[in-house]
Amino acid sequence: MSQEARQTDETYEEFLDHVQTYNYVGDAAGVLGWDQQVTMPEEGTPARSKQSSALSTLRHDLLTDDDLAAWLDELDDLDGERGAVVREVGRAHERASAVPEDLVKRISEASSNALPVWEGAKADADFSQFEETLEELVQLRREYAEAIDPDRDPYEVLFENFEPYIDIETAEEILTELREELPDLIDAVAESDVEPADPFEGEYDPDRQEDLVREALDTLGYDWDRGRLDTAAHPFSTGTQFDARVTTRFSPEDPMGAVGSTIHEFGHASYTLGLPDEHYGTPLGDSRDMTVHESQSRLWENHVGRSLPFWRLFTSAVEDHLGVDTSPRALYEHSNEVYDDNLIRVEADELTYHMHIIVRFEIERDLIRGDLDVSEVPGVWNDKYEEYLGVRPENDAEGCLQDIHWSHGNFGYFPTYSLGSVLASQLFAAAERELGDLDDDIESGEFDRLYGWLNENVHEHGCRYTTPDLIREATGEEFTADYFLDYATEKYGDLYDL
Amino acid sequence: MSQEARQTDETYEEFLDHVQTYNYVGDAAGVLGWDQQVTMPEEGTPARSKQSSALSTLRHDLLTDDDLAAWLDELDDLDGERGAVVREVGRAHERASAVPEDLVKRISEASSNALPVWEGAKADADFSQFEETLEELVQLRREYAEAIDPDRDPYEVLFENFEPYIDIETAEEILTELREELPDLIDAVAESDVEPADPFEGEYDPDRQEDLVREALDTLGYDWDRGRLDTAAHPFSTGTQFDARVTTRFSPEDPMGAVGSTIHEFGHASYTLGLPDEHYGTPLGDSRDMTVHESQSRLWENHVGRSLPFWRLFTSAVEDHLGVDTSPRALYEHSNEVYDDNLIRVEADELTYHMHIIVRFEIERDLIRGDLDVSEVPGVWNDKYEEYLGVRPENDAEGCLQDIHWSHGNFGYFPTYSLGSVLASQLFAAAERELGDLDDDIESGEFDRLYGWLNENVHEHGCRYTTPDLIREATGEEFTADYFLDYATEKYGDLYDL
């Protein structure tokens, strides 16, 4: 080994050690976040905020550190796995270094203060209480985007916080295709005479529901030695390849809601658990961004959990735990019912879901670009719901105040939900091209082949590839909405006799 | 305000901000520790170890930071509350700075490696498997003590890690007094004809036991909005004044074990919860060291939870939850029974407990001072048990391998258990001097006066006073074993008709 190569190896080791510390602290913060949402006593917040904020400051210091900058310079021409690590860390370092500390602090404080204001406004269904706060958050995020790159579209810059590698044009193309193609299908469903079955009535004990979703996790092969299930107000999953936890919640009237949400979070966790142990703490052992993560949750939730073969497998569990008499077809219909008067994103089916996302995307894009005034948000929101979904919110709580994202100061996040669903279809199709039809696997509870394919083509790469490269490597194609549209047309055609 | 005073204020603010970050990270590490023992899935350990170790390294860096050293120098002559903060931080800074990083790392690694070796040796009841490991831990801790102060007794230096302000001579005097005074009382109990009642037989459902200990916590006024109860293999409590949690465990055959252990942890938590909110993150909002902490757990466990008035209050709860027919006197006798053939520290009564501690203290002191060879530990242990307690372990598992402390590399910890019990008696006597007899309060479930006294005289000072000053302020006297010996003589005289 040359003197120079040996020097590079040494520098890379120092660099990697620093990166690992940064990531370990991030995962520690993740444990604090899980605890806060799942187990923390209610008056623990003041201390927890300070603990989380201290970890966040230390992480920022580690990421903007001068040593790190020097190592990144020195390691600039590495390729392969080491090059990927340098690329990912370099990108995060540049973003963090570009934003003045004072602005980071103002955004963090504004977001903390915004949460109770948004909660109050939502409780009173009164956007005017939140208007000034939202205005401040929009302005701060515009400043943030400008600090990172004053010459680019600020919305694009923010979008890259959640999806750094799919360019905004591609994202907009896909959303536009959904906006153009889906309404006809949604209209056809609305006009269909088919009345989907609903085998449920009355209320179902949360303890019985919990037994049921635990059996769903068992059935899908969730690794309990590296995971756990708890309840949380807003279901989420979090963790590492050694410990990836899921949460759910139970609504007495809607037992299938918990099943769907649990399988969704299982999908996220299955990605996390599939990351390579040996790269823990580095980008090679970390998941790709929101689009890919959401593709995994959506794949399991929709392509497996809302399929007829799955209900052939799992109907008896529903009958046993909930004491209902039903059939696979009935549960398949029920879990895919399109509610054409639904105003709430998180209760949407696979079709209308994207229209909910497109409303949010268009509004946040225009806010950040300065093309829309904050005061106009409720009116524009309601108009778009009427235009895209044929329903008009009666108040701001079921309208533009329903989601938490903007109060967190997160603009540019929403599109990744749709992109993730679309990618799920593309990946599932690629898996079936290689493995053959997966219906029999699903119906017999054999998930090893599907899981193996996802693991080999998605999970085990960590952040080795950029998102477009990962999609290309896994599917042999560019990112496209075609597979989702085919899937949706076929599935809802069957369900609604179109 | 003078220029100089303003400058001092500014420096103090910067200094305090740094100290708070250090403490917030410590509390974050505490959350990770709780999670690891209570909720973490079993295969989460590799990732958790790295997260905890990263936080520990960052804490060490914050504590040995050059800025901190400069601030400490500059703030050297502050008095009052600010002086106390500088004293506490300065002490921690000096210790951390004196020990080479490499040694810190070696101790940490040796302790991690020691745990499974100790567990294996204990499972096989074979000290020889652990001997080499213990030898290494002893040597490392001797090096550590030498790094801090090569001119002082190394055991004294280590003891100060757990009890920095009570000097080792005082500690030894108190332990010696216990060793000289207690055996007569223990012998008298052993010779007594009294057979303490035992109202329990068979096994008791852990769920019913949990209901019972929850009612015990309700009865004592545990603040559930700032706490929670879980089970753990080794019961402990942890947290901050905003979130102080307790754990317990249930043995089917010994339902009173869980009650006692829960009240013990409640005592720790009540101290933590009594620390002032406004000083969170600074030494003024942090608890004094092990002796004072243990005094609070022992006071509630022994002086309240093992008293006749408490059983007058709580017997009906035991009858209701466990379905037994008993009496306050029977539960009082049962919860204080002296088992003169007991070999296990954590199962010991209030009298023999101290003899268990003294064995450990004498052995670890001699090991660290170089007066005892590691290979001699099992023999010396067994001889001392025979001498002090009249029983001889049949194997090392029930002998010198029973406690985890040495495998953690903790030498100098054990004495604080006895010192804490002794201090509990002194504080309880002082409270009764001021408030009058507390029997009626306890019997009627009125704990406000006792809690108020402890809060005012102990909790709310945080680390404002050194331990001896705190004792003097609270009781008007120096630290003494007299109150414990009087209490023990009276209590066991009554119980065993002496």
Side-chain angles (χ1 to χ4, degrees):
Chain A
M1 188 184 288
S2 74
Q3 175 77 23
E4 198 185 332
R6 196 175 308 118
Q7 176 59 43
T8 300
D9 284 357
E10 276 174 27
T11 303
Y12 186 80
E13 285 308 310
E14 279 187 291
F15 159 79
L16 200 65
D17 196 57
H18 187 93
V19 169
Q20 285 173 320
T21 300
Y22 169 76
N23 284 315
Y24 298 153
V25 176
D27 290 335
V31 176
L32 266 59
W34 179 88
D35 182 83
Q36 182 159 9
Q37 292 181 74
V38 175
T39 45
M40 190 184 79
E42 60 176 304
E43 290 184 15
T45 310
R48 181 56 47 82
S49 300
K50 283 173 170 148
Q51 295 153 10
S52 296
S53 165
L55 296 190
S56 170
T57 302
L58 291 175
R59 261 166 73 74
H60 185 262
D61 292 349
L62 287 164
L63 189 56
T64 56
D65 187 82
D66 290 340
D67 285 344
L68 182 63
W71 290 322
L72 285 166
D73 268 352
E74 196 179 331
L75 299 168
D76 198 24
D77 55 0
L78 288 179
D79 54 16
E81 290 197 341
R82 299 200 303 180
V85 171
V86 171
R87 177 192 69 220
E88 295 297 326
V89 176
R91 194 187 158 279
H93 167 76
E94 275 166 35
R95 285 223 150 198
S97 304
V99 183
E101 261 186 70
D102 174 61
L103 180 56
V104 173
K105 207 170 165 183
R106 281 190 293 142
I107 290 175
S108 161
E109 281 171 5
S111 308
S112 291
N113 296 335
L115 195 63
V117 177
W118 168 73
E119 287 170 341
K122 186 176 178 181
D124 294 346
D126 176 11
F127 179 77
S128 73
Q129 295 175 26
F130 186 54
E131 186 177 326
E132 198 181 322
T133 301
L134 182 57
E135 176 66 35
E136 188 194 358
L137 291 165
V138 168
Q139 289 309 323
L140 285 167
R141 279 298 175 190
R142 285 165 57 95
E143 262 187 75
Y144 172 93
E146 195 179 352
I148 291 171
D149 193 338
D151 300 324
R152 283 166 61 216
D153 167 19
Y155 185 73
E156 180 179 2
V157 173
L158 296 183
F159 173 68
E160 289 169 359
N161 271 357
F162 306 104
E163 182 42 68
Y165 295 108
I166 295 176
D167 56 66
I168 191 77
E169 289 77 20
T170 303
E172 287 212 54
E173 267 168 39
I174 285 177
L175 293 172
T176 302
E177 203 175 341
L178 298 176
R179 197 188 56 201
E180 287 170 355
E181 300 290 333
L182 288 176
D184 282 352
L185 191 53
I186 294 170
D187 287 346
V189 166
E191 283 157 21
S192 158
D193 292 334
V194 174
E195 273 289 329
D198 182 356
F200 301 103
E201 63 174 291
E203 302 202 336
Y204 295 86
D205 180 3
D207 288 346
R208 296 288 74 70
Q209 292 193 44
E210 184 176 335
D211 293 343
L212 176 64
V213 301
R214 284 188 183 276
E215 184 163 342
L217 290 171
D218 284 340
T219 301
L220 297 173
Y222 184 54
D223 183 353
W224 294 103
D225 289 340
R226 295 192 177 202
R228 51 181 289 138
L229 172 76
D230 296 270
T231 56
H234 302 279
F236 67 103
S237 77
T238 185
T240 72
Q241 48 269 64
F242 294 94
D243 176 1
R245 307 176 184 185
V246 296
T247 60
T248 192
R249 64 179 166 194
F250 303 108
S251 153
E253 304 82 18
D254 177 27
M256 290 304 98
V259 173
S261 140
T262 304
I263 296 177
H264 179 94
E265 300 307 335
F266 162 81
H268 282 303
S270 76
Y271 183 13
T272 307
L273 289 169
L275 297 165
D277 286 1
E278 66 274 23
H279 291 302
Y280 172 58
T282 84
L284 298 173
D286 201 358
S287 54
R288 211 40 296 169
D289 302 83
M290 297 301 167
T291 301
V292 180
H293 232 305
E294 191 72 6
S295 79
Q296 300 306 292
S297 56
R298 285 297 189 178
L299 188 148
W300 288 94
E301 179 187 5
N302 295 339
H303 292 263
V304 177
R306 284 179 165 143
S307 71
L308 186 54
F310 178 75
W311 289 114
R312 290 205 180 100
L313 169 69
F314 201 62
T315 294
S316 62
V318 173
E319 292 181 326
D320 289 351
H321 289 293
L322 303 182
V324 290
D325 183 17
T326 182
S327 72
R329 177 79 199 181
L331 289 173
Y332 173 55
E333 289 181 10
H334 176 68
S335 68
N336 288 292
E337 180 165 2
V338 177
Y339 298 94
D340 55 14
D341 60 347
N342 169 48
L343 288 158
I344 307 299
R345 176 180 64 86
V346 297
E347 293 169 7
D349 58 89
E350 289 181 64
L351 293 184
T352 57
Y353 188 82
H354 298 290
M355 307 315 288
H356 292 267
I357 293 300
I358 288 164
V359 170
R360 288 153 178 77
F361 160 66
E362 292 178 348
I363 290 176
E364 68 178 14
R365 179 195 59 192
D366 293 349
L367 281 174
I368 295 293
R369 287 184 181 162
D371 296 338
L372 179 70
D373 196 81
V374 166
S375 63
E376 299 173 275
V377 167
V380 171
W381 181 288
N382 294 347
D383 290 347
K384 283 182 189 286
Y385 261 79
E386 194 153 357
E387 184 185 345
Y388 298 155
L389 284 153
V391 283
R392 194 173 180 91
E394 296 204 351
N395 62 57
D396 299 334
E398 58 181 36
C400 63
L401 290 172
Q402 72 181 258
D403 290 305
I404 204 171
H405 303 59
W406 292 340
S407 76
H408 281 325
N410 287 340
F411 301 89
Y413 189 122
F414 282 119
T416 65
Y417 287 126
S418 280
L419 299 177
S421 286
V422 164
L423 181 57
S425 296
Q426 189 173 356
L427 290 169
F428 195 81
E432 286 202 319
R433 263 202 310 279
E434 191 170 326
L435 305 173
D437 188 280
L438 288 163
D439 282 6
D440 287 350
D441 286 42
I442 295 173
E443 184 170 341
S444 57
E446 283 296 336
F447 298 104
D448 283 357
R449 291 201 311 150
L450 174 57
Y451 193 72
W453 189 91
L454 291 169
N455 197 45
E456 190 179 320
N457 288 280
V458 180
H459 307 173
E460 75 176 24
H461 298 308
C463 290
R464 172 77 162 84
Y465 301 114
T466 64
T467 312
D469 284 349
L470 184 76
I471 295 171
R472 214 174 285 122
E473 291 280 335
T475 69
E477 298 175 320
E478 299 299 313
F479 190 22
T480 169
D482 292 352
Y483 294 98
F484 172 75
L485 290 169
D486 287 350
Y487 156 78
T489 304
E490 188 185 329
K491 180 171 185 175
Y492 288 89
D494 170 49
L495 279 159
Y496 283 92
D497 225 356
L498 307 178
Chain B
M1 191 186 281
S2 73
Q3 177 76 22
E4 199 184 331
R6 196 173 311 119
Q7 176 59 42
T8 301
D9 284 357
E10 277 172 27
T11 304
Y12 186 80
E13 286 308 310
E14 279 188 293
F15 158 78
L16 200 65
D17 196 56
H18 187 93
V19 169
Q20 285 173 320
T21 299
Y22 170 76
N23 283 315
Y24 298 153
V25 177
D27 290 334
V31 176
L32 265 61
W34 178 88
D35 182 83
Q36 184 160 9
Q37 292 180 74
V38 174
T39 44
M40 192 184 77
E42 62 177 301
E43 290 184 14
T45 310
R48 182 55 47 83
S49 300
K50 284 176 169 147
Q51 295 152 10
S52 296
S53 165
L55 295 190
S56 171
T57 302
L58 290 177
R59 262 165 72 76
H60 185 263
D61 292 349
L62 287 165
L63 189 55
T64 56
D65 187 83
D66 290 340
D67 284 343
L68 182 64
W71 290 323
L72 285 165
D73 268 352
E74 196 180 330
L75 298 169
D76 198 26
D77 55 1
L78 287 180
D79 55 15
E81 290 196 342
R82 301 200 300 181
V85 171
V86 171
R87 177 192 68 222
E88 295 297 327
V89 176
R91 193 186 158 281
H93 167 77
E94 274 167 35
R95 287 221 148 198
S97 304
V99 183
E101 261 186 71
D102 174 61
L103 180 55
V104 173
K105 206 170 165 183
R106 281 191 293 142
I107 290 175
S108 162
E109 282 171 4
S111 308
S112 290
N113 297 335
L115 195 63
V117 178
W118 168 73
E119 286 169 343
K122 188 176 176 182
D124 295 345
D126 176 12
F127 178 79
S128 73
Q129 295 175 25
F130 185 56
E131 186 176 327
E132 197 181 320
T133 300
L134 182 58
E135 175 67 34
E136 187 193 0
L137 290 166
V138 168
Q139 288 311 324
L140 285 168
R141 280 297 177 188
R142 285 164 57 93
E143 263 187 72
Y144 172 93
E146 195 179 354
I148 290 171
D149 193 339
D151 300 325
R152 286 165 61 212
D153 167 19
Y155 186 73
E156 181 179 2
V157 174
L158 296 183
F159 172 68
E160 289 169 356
N161 272 356
F162 306 103
E163 183 43 66
Y165 295 108
I166 295 175
D167 57 66
I168 192 76
E169 290 78 21
T170 304
E172 289 214 51
E173 268 169 37
I174 285 177
L175 292 171
T176 304
E177 204 176 339
L178 298 176
R179 196 188 57 202
E180 287 171 353
E181 301 291 333
L182 286 177
D184 283 352
L185 190 53
I186 293 170
D187 287 346
V189 166
E191 284 157 22
S192 158
D193 294 331
V194 174
E195 274 288 334
D198 182 356
F200 301 103
E201 63 175 291
E203 301 201 338
Y204 295 86
D205 180 3
D207 287 345
R208 297 287 74 72
Q209 292 193 44
E210 185 177 334
D211 292 343
L212 177 64
V213 301
R214 284 187 183 273
E215 184 163 342
L217 291 171
D218 284 340
T219 300
L220 297 172
Y222 184 54
D223 183 353
W224 293 103
D225 290 338
R226 294 192 177 202
R228 51 180 289 139
L229 172 75
D230 296 88
T231 56
H234 301 278
F236 68 102
S237 76
T238 186
T240 71
Q241 49 270 65
F242 294 93
D243 176 1
R245 307 176 185 186
V246 297
T247 60
T248 192
R249 65 179 165 195
F250 303 108
S251 153
E253 304 82 19
D254 177 26
M256 291 302 97
V259 173
S261 141
T262 304
I263 296 178
H264 179 94
E265 300 306 337
F266 162 82
H268 282 302
S270 76
Y271 183 11
T272 306
L273 290 169
L275 296 166
D277 285 359
E278 66 274 21
H279 290 301
Y280 171 58
T282 84
L284 299 173
D286 201 359
S287 53
R288 211 44 290 174
D289 302 84
M290 298 299 170
T291 301
V292 180
H293 233 306
E294 192 72 5
S295 79
Q296 300 305 293
S297 56
R298 285 297 191 179
L299 187 148
W300 288 96
E301 179 186 6
N302 295 341
H303 292 264
V304 177
R306 282 177 165 146
S307 72
L308 186 54
F310 177 77
W311 290 113
R312 291 204 179 101
L313 169 69
F314 201 64
T315 294
S316 62
V318 173
E319 293 181 325
D320 289 349
H321 290 292
L322 303 183
V324 292
D325 183 17
T326 181
S327 72
R329 179 80 200 180
L331 290 173
Y332 172 58
E333 290 181 9
H334 176 67
S335 66
N336 288 292
E337 180 163 4
V338 176
Y339 299 93
D340 54 15
D341 59 348
N342 170 48
L343 289 158
I344 308 299
R345 176 180 64 85
V346 297
E347 294 168 7
D349 58 88
E350 289 180 64
L351 294 183
T352 57
Y353 188 83
H354 298 290
M355 308 314 289
H356 291 266
I357 292 300
I358 288 163
V359 170
R360 287 152 179 79
F361 159 68
E362 291 178 350
I363 290 176
E364 67 177 14
R365 179 196 58 196
D366 293 351
L367 282 173
I368 295 293
R369 285 184 183 163
D371 296 339
L372 179 69
D373 196 83
V374 166
S375 63
E376 298 172 279
V377 167
V380 171
W381 180 288
N382 295 346
D383 290 347
K384 284 185 189 283
Y385 262 79
E386 192 150 0
E387 183 185 348
Y388 298 157
L389 283 153
V391 283
R392 193 172 182 92
E394 297 203 351
N395 62 58
D396 299 335
E398 60 181 36
C400 63
L401 290 172
Q402 70 182 259
D403 291 304
I404 202 171
H405 302 60
W406 292 340
S407 75
H408 282 324
N410 288 339
F411 302 88
Y413 189 123
F414 281 120
T416 66
Y417 287 126
S418 279
L419 299 177
S421 286
V422 165
L423 181 57
S425 297
Q426 189 172 357
L427 289 170
F428 196 81
E432 287 202 317
R433 264 203 309 280
E434 192 171 324
L435 305 173
D437 188 281
L438 287 164
D439 283 4
D440 287 348
D441 286 42
I442 295 172
E443 184 170 340
S444 56
E446 283 295 335
F447 298 105
D448 284 356
R449 293 200 311 151
L450 174 57
Y451 193 73
W453 189 91
L454 290 169
N455 198 43
E456 190 179 323
N457 288 280
V458 180
H459 308 174
E460 74 174 23
H461 297 308
C463 289
R464 173 79 164 84
Y465 301 114
T466 65
T467 312
D469 284 349
L470 184 77
I471 296 171
R472 216 174 284 122
E473 290 280 333
T475 70
E477 297 174 324
E478 300 299 313
F479 190 22
T480 170
D482 292 351
Y483 294 97
F484 172 76
L485 291 168
D486 287 350
Y487 156 79
T489 305
E490 191 186 326
K491 180 172 185 173
Y492 289 89
D494 170 49
L495 279 158
Y496 283 92
D497 227 354
L498 308 178

